[in-house]
Amino acid sequence: MLQTRRAWLIGVSAVLLTILSYLPGLSGPYLLDDSASVEAVAQWHAGERSLAATVLPNDRSILFSRPVAMASLAANAALAGPSPFAFKLGNLLVHLACGALVLLLLQRCLALDQNAKHARLLGLFLACAWILHPLHVSTVLYVVQRMAQLSALFTLLAVLSYLVARCRLRDGHPAAARVLLFAAFPLAWVAGLLSKQNAAVAPLLCLVLEYAYFPVHPRPRQVTAFFALFALPVVLGGLALLSVAPATLLSGYSDWDFTLGERLLSQPRALLDYIALTLLPNGPRMGLYTDDFTVSTGLFEPWTTLPAIALLAAASIAALLVRRRAPSITAGWGFFLVAHLVESTFLPLEMYYEHRNYLPSVGLLLAAAGCGQLLVRKLQDRRGRGPTRMATPVPVLVVLVLAFATFARAGVWQSEASILQQALLHHPTSMRAMLDQASLYIRQGRYDDALAATEPLRHDPRRRPRLNGYLHQAAVECMRGTVVNPVAMARAVDNALPRLTVYEVNTATLLVMGTPTGRCGPYSTRHIADGLDAIADQAAADTPREVIYPSIRTMAAQLYLRSGDWTTAREQADDAWLGHRYLPAGALLVRILIELGDSAAAHATLDQLSTRIRPFDTAGQAQLAAVRARVQRRFGPDAAAAARPEAPVQ
């Protein structure tokens, strides 16, 4: 009873300490791609968008949507309004719920180890360390990472369901085990997949725990059926996609400056960095602006590439060899590697993001506990007593240090300015940080400071930073009300690349934002449009994605419109719509066709748009209705039938 009260006291204290540690950052701003998800929820909250269109975006299939996560954000807004504080507080509550599941999972895992008598206390300490770890600040206080959090929450619930079921089978309770294996697990797993797709690893995590903690053969038939039903399809489905339709998973490499081989070479170094930051936190070095992570282009470029691969391989072999003596090491290390399978292997994602370690860090802590238990057993004296004198003070000190580090990081997250200041201090070559710092200056009307912030990009030895630096210079000069220096756009075109990325889309968007006022003058606007056209021409062959390339063409079309060149604007919009079916380009093309008086083409494009926008997409349908009304005002209500070819007589 005394131990139970002590455990509750420690747990409640850790929860309160976590809330206090995160409190400074809850009032922080939206960041990076928060806007897309938050804007959709805010529109729903204001009655401008249906719930179906909010949780299932028009441009995504159910396979690549995250409706559970979006529904949770909508529920968050319904309860507390669509504000940064409300969403971040919701993330914190989800984090605490994840911590409760981490506690239950770790205690059960450690209870299956040879030194099970300390499982409850050790699991409690590890769970406290997990919820208070500063590495998770960028997951909790970054609103859009609700998706990663919920995916982790439901994955933990699914794995815990499996582990409890496995223990029920061991103890002779097959009926309860079947409910957990074939009802509770799939429900939690599907909820995780509909939050974020990296929950797909849940059955494989169960396989890791089965291998580590249940070596007895033959396995119960329920366990064999479980893995045949859930784990085998994941493996075979992934292999089938890679062999039959590899573009489904790999086409996104056209958005990045690295290849599949370079990503696979780089990820071992990223994994070791995640491990280092988990076991030895370095708060100032953490954050969102890690686009400066060096890509491995060979086994010795950089030289740490091969040693990182060798170290991971050696650790994996060691974890397998100690399975009988310390199964928690095997389970934890396997959990860490498998939990990274989706985002840290072959998929075309950004090279490094610390939120990817949110779920895998549970495995690292379990492996660390296994190492600690193994060490204690080796240090025990002949009377069977180990070094227990520091068993309480050391964990308490560790938890307090982690809480202080998290409090300090949350303090940085109070404002965009402080986040960027620390990012540029510790990641001075981050292009994203420089561009975001310049954007902050623009919003403050500090145009000279914005130009100075991106000056290093224009002198960078790499072409992509130079391209974005000169595009940014043109945008800021236009916003400042001065005629754009032709040299800026000329140098941007000189640095054009055969592959466009999201960076160029963001910088080109800034160009479009800077020209509506007309302060640049028609010559400068036309000059900018010609530059974007030339940059898009250079990338036409190697940028096949349905968003990156056509969005640049659409923005070029908008700039040609502002310069009064409707014919060239139509050519740009035609390319973006007819070749890629990019919805914003289709809407813009109809507007151009109206102005040019081409009734047949306007109605044909309108019909094509109608088939692309889902019926429940409230915002899309409203835009479609506005475009249709404009067509009817220009050509009359009867023009649609006249514009369509007459059906042949049967």
Side-chain angles (χ1 to χ4, degrees), residues 17 132 395-405:
L17 193 58
L132 281 163
V396 170
L397 180 61
V398 169
V399 167
L400 290 176
V401 169
L402 292 175
F404 178 78

Side-chain angles (χ1 to χ4, degrees), residues 261-262 265-266 269 294-310:
E262 289 170 343
L265 283 173
S266 302
R269 293 174 37 248
T294 304
V295 174
S296 294
T297 57
L299 289 175
F300 298 100
E301 294 292 336
W303 71 268
T304 51
T305 302
L306 184 59
I309 296 171

Side-chain angles (χ1 to χ4, degrees), residues 161 176-190 226 229-230:
S161 298
R178 282 194 293 269
V179 173
L180 290 168
L181 288 174
F182 303 109
F185 176 89
L187 287 174
W189 187 34
V190 170
F226 172 84
L229 188 60
F230 299 117

Side-chain angles (χ1 to χ4, degrees), residues 455-477:
E455 183 66 25
L457 295 178
R458 294 186 282 278
H459 299 285
D460 196 285
R462 298 164 297 170
R463 289 177 64 186
R464 192 170 304 283
R466 293 201 302 270
L467 168 60
N468 283 274
Y470 286 118
L471 288 175
H472 190 273
Q473 178 184 349
V476 174
E477 287 177 344

Side-chain angles (χ1 to χ4, degrees), residues 12 21 67 73 89 147 160 181 190 216 225 303 311 338 373 381 397 413 428 443 486 497 556 597:
V12 171
S21 298
L73 291 174
L89 179 59
M147 300 172 183
L160 184 61
L181 288 174
V190 170
V216 179
W303 71 268
L311 189 56
V338 170
Q373 288 182 324
D381 57 29
L397 180 61
W413 281 64
R443 295 197 298 274
L497 293 162

Side-chain angles (χ1 to χ4, degrees), residues 15 18 22 90-107 123-124 126-132 136 139-140 145-158 160 192 195 335 355 357-362 365:
V15 169
T18 302
Y22 275 96
N91 279 16
L92 179 57
L93 295 177
V94 175
H95 180 60
L96 293 174
C98 287
L101 293 176
V102 169
L103 169 64
L104 296 174
L105 181 63
L106 290 179
Q107 285 183 335
L124 179 59
L126 292 173
C128 293
W130 188 85
I131 62 172
L132 281 163
H136 302 324
T139 305
V140 176
Q145 292 309 325
R146 175 76 62 89
M147 300 172 183
Q149 285 187 290
L150 287 175
S151 176
L153 177 76
F154 290 116
T155 299
L156 288 166
L157 184 59
L160 184 61
S195 299
F335 191 106
H355 73 258
N357 211 44
Y358 190 69
L359 177 63
S361 61
V362 177
L365 294 179

Side-chain angles (χ1 to χ4, degrees), residues 543-566:
T543 312
R545 292 296 298 275
E546 65 271 14
V547 174
I548 301 292
Y549 172 78
S551 64
I552 296 290
R553 285 291 186 201
T554 303
M555 285 185 272
Q558 290 175 300
L559 292 173
Y560 279 119
L561 288 183
R562 289 173 188 166
S563 68
D565 188 347
W566 290 81

